[in-house]
Amino acid sequence: MEVVRSQRKSSVPNDAVSTLPLYRSAPPLEVRLEDFEFYAIDRLRVLKGISDGLSRGKKPDEMEKLVYDLWKENMRHPQASEVVNKDIISHFVLRLVYCRTEELRKWFLSMETTLFRHRFLHENPEVQKALFAEFDLPYKAVSRAEYETVKDMLNQVARSIGQSTDAIFYKVPFEEVPELVAGRRVFIKEGNAYIAMSQVVSLVVTQFRSHLSKALVLTNRKWTSRIREQEKDRLTPIIEALSTSYLGPDYSQPTKHTDISLKDIDQIAKSSFPLCMHHLFGKLREDHHLKHGGRMQLGLFLKGMGLKLDDALAFWKAEFSPKVGAERFDKEYAYSIRHSYGKEGKRTDYTPYSCQKIISSTPGVGDHHGCPYRHFSEENLRAALTRMGVGNRAVEDMLDKVRNRHYQLFMVHRVMRGLTIQISTITTAERS
């Protein structure tokens, strides 16, 4: 590929090396089963953070900082030499996790493409040029003679978007860079767009997205036909659980800052509960009973907030007392509460349900658990939000998200008694 600058010769070194993988094929790397899962969770935190940033309408410069911070925080490794391996392994694990449905593939493809775009832009020009060449794109740089004929127009466009006029330009069919055309960031002549080297990211990202999209479909075929059954006793349980993993704080270990008492619950419920828990709490007070699904969803939430086991037993016993006597409560309900705190059975210290688990649940007749944003009618949802004191404008914004099935975008940040409680959302993900 001939490279021509507007006035100066190119000084690109031949040994430009990138730490940004293209993920074209899985490398023959060995990984411990523990790292297999932990690496994937760390990368998933990055993708979830990107998804949240996009849903909140962050500006390009804000997204650039967000992606950089997310990557730096979650993808580091004690051994510097293992950072790239962690990057590659985590990508291919999540490709396997998110290949399994059309909806999951769509989300994963979008988030990985966004991540790739920002990482590409963060590379230096020499590495960008090397990556461009790796994709073997069939575009030639504009010759010096042709450049002279369109120089004035190219410089005019470059100045209008704050871009250096000393750049390499490529000529490509305009339909292959629709986002640049829509943003009026290129000069178009005879059906071709003149793309500066700094804008080549659009071409590279398009190629990356196309390759990953095809790879996800192929991975799904392998998963369905072979991997799922072959690995049913080892990897399959991990793969099937990862897309709904709880990524919020670990509430299973009590801390001195997270205890709440029975006298706090009413005030906290009024000021700080998300809608799903507010609804369950109200139904419990109204009916003095909840079915198993509701008890688990609300009970683990209260546990995660810091309600101790003894207080939890007292709380549920008092709430059930109008319909269930003390003896029956001790026989039929107390064991389940102790079990959720890790005091019975396998002694697993359970964490609160993730938003994705709540969203994907299927309440039956008489059940009150699940996600109101998904399961309520629009009329009932509007009424519930209004009762919580949500303003009309905010209600309409929420209903608009619900109509577009974005149940996962509702996040709650509350501060009470010096404790910041975050109900983290888990978005529906794509699998590969």
Side-chain angles (χ1 to χ4, degrees):
M1 176 186 297
E2 180 189 6
V3 174
V4 178
R5 283 189 181 274
S6 56
Q7 296 297 332
R8 304 177 185 176
K9 293 182 180 180
S10 172
S11 57
V12 178
N14 294 325
D15 59 349
V17 178
S18 171
T19 58
L20 174 56
L22 301 182
Y23 314 109
R24 289 184 169 177
S25 59
L29 296 174
E30 293 185 359
V31 58
R32 295 183 305 168
L33 199 60
E34 182 181 10
D35 290 339
F36 180 92
E37 183 174 8
F38 288 164
Y39 288 1
I41 289 175
D42 283 347
R43 191 183 193 91
L44 193 52
R45 293 183 193 279
V46 176
L47 300 186
K48 300 292 188 182
I50 291 173
S51 178
D52 180 55
L54 292 173
S55 71
R56 291 169 178 270
K58 287 186 176 291
K59 298 177 181 178
D61 58 332
E62 294 175 324
M63 282 300 301
E64 182 178 352
K65 183 178 185 305
L66 174 65
V67 173
Y68 176 80
D69 291 343
L70 285 168
W71 189 265
K72 183 178 180 181
E73 177 182 356
N74 294 288
M75 296 302 291
R76 59 181 182 268
H77 193 282
Q79 300 176 28
S81 60
E82 289 297 312
V83 172
V84 173
N85 284 346
K86 179 178 180 179
D87 178 7
I88 295 171
I89 290 168
S90 64
H91 171 86
F92 280 97
V93 174
L94 289 187
R95 188 184 286 192
L96 188 60
V97 171
Y98 288 106
C99 73
R100 296 173 293 165
T101 71
E102 176 69 24
E103 187 179 7
L104 293 176
R105 289 193 293 272
K106 182 179 178 182
W107 183 87
F108 181 71
L109 180 63
S110 177
M111 294 308 106
E112 279 286 343
T113 301
T114 301
L115 173 61
F116 181 85
R117 170 187 291 275
H118 284 281
R119 293 183 68 193
F120 181 88
L121 289 171
H122 196 261
E123 297 282 6
N124 62 52
E126 288 76 18
V127 170
Q128 289 179 344
K129 190 175 298 182
L131 287 168
F132 183 74
E134 277 197 54
F135 277 104
D136 197 26
L137 293 167
Y139 309 120
K140 292 184 177 180
V142 174
S143 67
R144 192 176 303 280
E146 184 176 1
Y147 172 81
E148 291 298 327
T149 66
V150 295
K151 178 174 63 175
D152 292 341
M153 292 303 301
L154 292 179
N155 288 342
Q156 183 177 330
V157 173
R159 286 193 296 269
S160 71
I161 62 175
Q163 173 185 293
S164 170
T165 58
D166 180 26
I168 301 170
F169 286 88
Y170 294 85
K171 185 167 67 174
V172 305
F174 77 92
E175 64 269 16
E176 296 189 18
V177 285
E179 61 183 70
L180 297 180
V181 174
R184 298 186 177 184
R185 288 177 286 164
V186 291
F187 170 60
I188 298 177
K189 179 182 179 182
E190 297 177 354
N192 291 309
Y194 288 74
I195 310 297
M197 187 63 202
S198 61
Q199 298 169 314
V200 160
V201 61
S202 294
L203 297 173
V204 174
V205 167
T206 297
Q207 291 295 314
F208 175 83
R209 184 184 182 92
S210 176
H211 167 75
L212 181 55
S213 179
K214 294 174 183 176
L216 284 168
V217 174
L218 293 174
T219 307
N220 173 253
R221 292 175 186 170
K222 292 180 181 179
W223 166 260
T224 304
S225 64
R226 179 164 48 89
I227 301 175
R228 180 172 56 190
E229 182 60 26
Q230 288 181 349
E231 297 288 346
K232 64 181 180 181
D233 297 323
R234 190 173 63 131
L235 296 184
T236 298
I238 297 175
I239 293 299
E240 293 182 341
L242 271 171
S243 64
T244 55
S245 295
Y246 176 70
L247 300 184
D250 180 6
Y251 295 113
S252 63
Q253 301 301 321
T255 69
K256 62 182 181 180
H257 302 294
T258 60
D259 292 342
I260 63 171
S261 64
L262 288 175
K263 64 182 179 63
D264 300 318
I265 291 181
D266 284 328
Q267 179 56 39
I268 293 173
K270 181 179 179 180
S271 65
S272 306
F273 277 18
L275 180 56
C276 57
M277 303 305 171
H278 192 275
H279 174 66
L280 280 170
F281 189 79
K283 284 299 179 181
L284 176 61
R285 284 287 166 86
E286 180 182 327
D287 300 337
H288 300 290
H289 191 269
L290 286 175
K291 290 188 175 182
H292 178 74
R295 295 197 304 273
M296 290 299 295
Q297 183 172 314
L298 179 60
L300 289 176
F301 176 78
L302 293 174
K303 176 195 172 189
M305 288 174 54
L307 189 66
K308 293 181 178 179
L309 175 57
D310 289 343
D311 285 343
L313 288 167
F315 168 77
W316 288 102
K317 195 170 189 175
E319 293 301 330
F320 275 38
S321 61
K323 289 187 176 181
V324 177
E327 184 177 352
R328 183 183 168 194
F329 179 88
D330 290 338
K331 286 183 177 180
E332 298 182 16
Y333 299 99
Y335 177 90
S336 177
I337 297 169
R338 291 195 300 271
H339 187 275
S340 67
Y341 276 76
K343 303 302 181 182
E344 301 285 357
K346 295 181 179 180
R347 301 189 180 276
T348 300
D349 208 0
Y350 294 95
T351 55
Y353 287 170
S354 68
C355 281
Q356 182 57 38
K357 182 177 178 66
I358 293 173
I359 290 170
S360 61
S361 64
T362 308
V365 177
D367 286 326
H368 300 292
H369 62 282
C371 177
Y373 296 107
R374 179 184 178 189
H375 299 121
F376 278 20
S377 67
E378 185 169 314
E379 180 181 353
N380 288 341
L381 181 57
R382 186 189 301 274
L385 291 169
T386 301
R387 285 195 298 271
M388 290 181 68
V390 180
N392 291 335
R393 185 171 181 178
V395 169
E396 292 305 319
D397 180 59
M398 291 180 175
L399 291 175
D400 183 60
K401 289 182 172 63
V402 167
R403 294 183 192 110
N404 290 297
R405 302 178 67 184
H406 295 318
Y407 316 116
Q408 75 279 6
L409 300 184
F410 302 98
M411 295 190 70
V412 178
H413 298 265
R414 300 294 188 183
V415 179
M416 45 193 167
R417 302 181 65 208
L419 164 66
T420 300
I421 292 183
Q422 176 176 333
I423 317 292
S424 298
T425 62
I426 308 297
T427 62
T428 315
E430 328 283 293
R431 309 181 183 184
S432 94

